[in-house]
Amino acid sequence: MTAPLDPVLMSVMANRLDGIVREMTNTLLRAARSAVISSARDFSCCLVTGDDQLLAPAEGLPVHIFGCHIQTANMRRYHEGDIRKGDAYLDNDPYGGNTHPADHTFMVPVFHEGEHLFTSVAKCHMADIGNSIPSSYFVLARDVYHEGALVFPGVRIQRDFRNIEDIVRMCRARIRVPDQWYGDYLAGLGSARVAERRLEEFCTKYGAATVKRFIAEWFDYSERRMIDNIRRLPRAQLVNKGRSDPLEGILPGGLELTVKIEIDPEEAMIHVDLSDNPPCVDVGLNTSLGAATSAVVGAIFNALEKDLPRNAGSFRRLRFTYAEESVVAAPRFPHSCSMGTTNVSERLVNITQSAFAQLGDGHGLAEGGTGLGAGMAVISGKDHRRGGAPFVNRMMLSTNGGPASPVADGWVNYAIPVIAGLMYRDSIEVDELKHPLRVNALSLVQDSAGAGRRRGAPAQTIDLTPTGNDVTAVISCDGQHTPPRGVAGGQDGTAGMTLRIGANGDEARLPNVVQVTLRKGEVLRGRDSAGGGYGRPLAREPARVLHDVLEGWESREKARDVYGVVFTGEIDDETLAVDEAATLALRRDKENTHAA
């Protein structure tokens, strides 16, 4: 029997692979042309084994990663017997394992001594994909035909390291910003090719036999870690429901979503049942298998130890049940999955991670802020500063308040649940240089956060205005009707909203999903949603409440009325301090009132 690999060598090889993925990430970030990729980092890179098992995702976005192995398996199935060194493939088919059509996935098979040992994968959210509206998101798409995206199911785009120009011409002919798309195309390919070279070096250094032993033992180690985590959980059957925002005139009640989780510590398995969800809908809210499963898997890992490996080994301890035709993980062609990575997937993350709070204090998380609000609008138009050149881009200037956990307050720079802080926020100055827009204001909203022993993060508000020609903004926002919920006695966060402010100052609230054209002098104002709280607000340490009031995140009134904290002195003259005796008395009164 062959002895196991030395643990030090295992650690070195695992970190080497993570380093390769990080080099892929750095290549893509620096080489991409659109702001959504080069500034906001809306992409993920990973390594998959030659037999289609997720191996190394590094810092991939949670919603992107699960499903990459399905895409590589389809690539091999589509081109069985005809895959070789020098090939590259493009896939964005939501029915074939991809998340949604906006995510162009570049796959490069990596060979060593003639054997296909790895596939490097770079998945990029493109600013424009040929949709029938100027946005790679289209909530109101009745089906894939109305959506209009170009879809590539595992299509070969390079042979012998050279582009297949027919594919490139197809894209350039249909996409509104062809040069920008082509720059991002080259960046995605470059990222995957960088990994190819590094993996060839990796295999040359260690040899194919050692590499294969490492992969097998790394998966086994990851599975053992997962087993240990699950066995420390109580046996439970958790059922949690949530609701997406309504769509005016189409889905007036939104979508009720259900996640059922069975935790079996003895078997060391978590069984997730997603079958009790609505059938497909005639809008772009259907979530692909890859997107919906990624959302739930990411939320499960949120509730476990933070350093668990996320790979095929740990995934062995997860079992899923799906419906045959459903808005969650089982859409049937031609239903659109345009919003597959956002609205419903965001709710699935929240429903799943908050379900674990049913296990008792110390488990799970509250719900995080949701919604692609005004700060994440897809903007388009003609730039008066560049001779009327067309532009399309999705901004990343929103935050949405992060959820509170048992041990930490919500993260301010959260974005949305399927991102969980792993994207970058745009630079305001860079966005203003790239697009004919000005950001008039950007600030956090006082008293918006869900109160708790641990507080959710506050909401943000943003004001945008054109500087020249008209600018069209496509907003595909959830989180404006059903706010993020607190758990374990924590309070809900506040919902978001979108306003249009005319040149005369008049305000009009816009629908949560809207395509609006702004003229110079008009303002688009967006307010994100805030994170839910964890635990009873009266259990929050007075020193933390003082800090929040000094920061301006919470008001003195909320500190008294919700947290039961009384202050002496004033903020302006820096004498504000906790009145410990009055705080103790007020909290005692509130506890007695609540008990009565």
Side-chain angles (χ1 to χ4, degrees):
M1 181 176 178
T2 305
L5 289 179
D6 178 82
V8 173
L9 178 59
M10 284 273 292
S11 179
V12 168
M13 293 178 76
N15 279 280
R16 179 79 178 271
L17 293 179
D18 268 1
I20 292 172
V21 178
R22 294 180 197 282
E23 187 174 357
M24 294 174 70
T25 298
N26 194 51
T27 300
L28 190 44
L29 184 66
R30 292 181 176 274
R33 187 155 180 177
S34 66
V36 68
I37 299 176
S38 65
S39 294
R41 194 184 177 274
D42 194 351
F43 65 84
S44 297
C45 303
C46 68
L47 303 177
V48 178
T49 63
D51 61 351
D52 309 309
Q53 299 183 80
L54 179 65
L55 178 62
E59 292 182 348
L61 304 185
V63 76
H64 276 173
I65 295 305
F66 188 94
C68 289
H69 63 292
I70 305 174
Q71 293 176 269
T72 62
N74 285 334
M75 173 195 80
R76 294 199 305 133
R77 179 169 59 88
Y78 297 152
H79 302 277
E80 185 175 1
D82 190 30
I83 296 176
R84 66 193 193 204
K85 182 179 174 66
D87 282 357
Y89 298 85
L90 171 62
D91 185 277
N92 70 329
D93 180 9
Y95 300 96
N98 191 38
T99 38
H100 65 152
D103 288 335
H104 281 197
T105 305
F106 301 90
M107 300 178 287
V108 169
V110 180
F111 292 82
H112 178 70
E113 297 177 347
E115 184 178 2
H116 179 188
L117 288 183
F118 299 98
T119 302
S120 61
V121 180
K123 180 175 290 191
C124 313
H125 184 119
M126 296 294 186
D128 189 80
I129 55 170
N131 272 356
S132 58
I133 64 170
S135 171
S136 51
Y137 290 121
F138 192 3
V139 179
L140 302 181
R142 295 185 297 274
D143 51 32
V144 295
Y145 310 111
H146 187 204
E147 183 181 349
L150 285 164
V151 175
F152 300 93
V155 173
R156 183 183 293 120
I157 53 175
Q158 284 193 333
R159 173 129 273 186
D160 298 325
F161 300 98
R162 295 181 179 275
N163 280 342
I164 296 174
E165 293 298 335
D166 288 348
I167 306 299
V168 175
R169 281 198 302 276
M170 285 175 61
C171 291
R172 294 185 68 98
R174 268 285 302 279
I175 289 173
R176 294 171 176 81
V177 282
D179 291 341
Q180 176 177 283
W181 172 85
Y182 188 60
D184 290 342
Y185 167 94
L186 293 176
L189 271 176
S191 171
R193 290 291 185 200
V194 163
E196 178 186 33
R197 292 195 293 273
R198 297 294 178 261
L199 287 168
E200 289 172 347
E201 295 166 0
F202 180 80
C203 293
T204 299
K205 178 172 182 176
Y206 294 108
T210 299
V211 167
K212 290 177 182 178
R213 283 179 61 198
F214 161 76
I215 292 171
E217 293 185 27
W218 182 243
F219 285 152
D220 289 345
Y221 163 78
S222 302
E223 183 178 18
R224 290 194 299 273
R225 289 284 312 281
M226 190 71 165
I227 289 171
D228 178 65
N229 261 249
I230 295 173
R231 284 187 171 156
R232 284 187 271 125
L233 296 174
R235 176 181 294 275
Q237 291 188 341
L238 310 175
V239 178
N240 205 18
K241 295 179 179 289
R243 187 172 292 277
S244 69
D245 275 3
L247 297 180
E248 288 88 341
I250 301 173
L251 293 172
L255 293 168
E256 184 179 72
L257 307 170
T258 303
V259 177
K260 300 176 181 178
I261 302 169
E262 180 182 355
I263 301 171
D264 186 340
E266 292 181 10
E267 191 184 356
M269 291 293 296
I270 295 177
H271 177 209
V272 181
D273 184 352
L274 298 176
S275 62
D276 187 13
N277 280 295
C280 296
V281 289
D282 294 330
V283 290
L285 295 177
N286 303 286
T287 56
S288 62
L289 174 67
T293 309
S294 285
V296 173
V297 169
I300 290 172
F301 276 90
N302 288 347
L304 301 176
E305 285 186 355
K306 64 181 180 181
D307 62 344
L308 271 176
R310 275 95 161 140
N311 60 36
S314 52
F315 293 169
R316 292 170 186 167
R317 312 314 298 181
L318 303 176
R319 185 169 62 243
F320 283 84
T321 299
Y322 305 101
E324 292 187 5
E325 179 186 356
S326 173
V327 73
V328 174
R332 182 175 294 173
F333 183 88
H335 287 100
S336 171
C337 299
S338 184
M339 305 299 300
T341 59
T342 52
N343 299 36
V344 169
S345 288
E346 295 173 39
R347 297 292 181 176
L348 291 174
V349 173
N350 279 339
I351 294 167
T352 303
Q353 68 188 24
S354 62
F356 278 83
Q358 297 174 19
L359 297 176
D361 198 357
H363 293 283
L365 296 89
E367 295 190 348
T370 64
L372 303 178
M376 292 190 202
V378 178
I379 55 171
S380 62
K382 296 183 177 180
D383 194 336
H384 67 285
R385 306 165 304 173
R386 297 179 173 88
F391 67 91
V392 181
N393 184 57
R394 198 199 84 180
M395 298 182 297
M396 188 63 187
L397 287 171
S398 287
T399 60
N400 284 306
S405 78
V407 297
D409 293 336
W411 191 1
V412 173
N413 213 14
Y414 178 67
I416 50 178
V418 295
I419 292 172
L422 282 171
M423 279 175 61
Y424 297 157
R425 290 188 71 240
D426 289 353
S427 159
I428 290 174
E429 291 78 11
V430 169
D431 273 0
E432 290 177 336
L433 285 170
K434 283 180 172 286
H435 314 113
L437 277 178
R438 184 172 63 249
V439 179
N440 289 341
L442 183 71
S443 61
L444 297 178
V445 181
Q446 190 177 63
D447 291 344
S448 59
R453 185 181 77 239
R454 293 295 172 258
R455 167 190 45 72
Q460 172 195 274
T461 185
I462 186 171
D463 283 10
L464 304 163
T465 188
T467 58
N469 295 336
D470 296 352
V471 171
T472 296
V474 177
I475 300 172
S476 310
C477 195
D478 200 272
Q480 296 199 1
H481 294 267
T482 309
R485 297 174 295 185
V487 296
Q491 294 187 356
D492 296 348
T494 53
M497 68 173 66
T498 308
L499 301 173
R500 179 179 188 160
I501 304 174
N504 60 359
D506 290 345
E507 295 184 0
R509 181 161 184 173
L510 298 175
N512 56 337
V513 173
V514 67
Q515 179 173 325
V516 58
T517 298
L518 299 171
R519 295 174 173 79
K520 189 174 181 179
E522 296 180 325
V523 172
L524 181 66
R525 174 171 295 165
R527 172 172 161 162
D528 296 331
S529 57
Y534 193 108
R536 297 182 307 110
L538 293 177
R540 185 167 177 79
E541 301 91 327
R544 286 180 177 264
V545 180
L546 173 62
H547 172 271
D548 292 344
V549 173
L550 290 173
E551 289 292 322
W553 295 357
E554 305 281 38
S555 68
R556 194 165 178 166
E557 291 74 25
K558 183 176 177 180
R560 180 193 65 235
D561 297 340
V562 176
Y563 289 102
V565 176
V566 181
F567 298 111
T568 61
E570 300 295 334
I571 296 176
D572 294 342
D573 60 9
E574 300 182 355
T575 61
L576 193 72
V578 175
D579 186 328
E580 295 184 6
T583 295
L584 182 62
L586 179 58
R587 285 188 162 185
R588 186 184 300 118
D589 288 345
K590 287 181 174 290
E591 292 282 11
N592 291 336
T593 301
H594 177 72

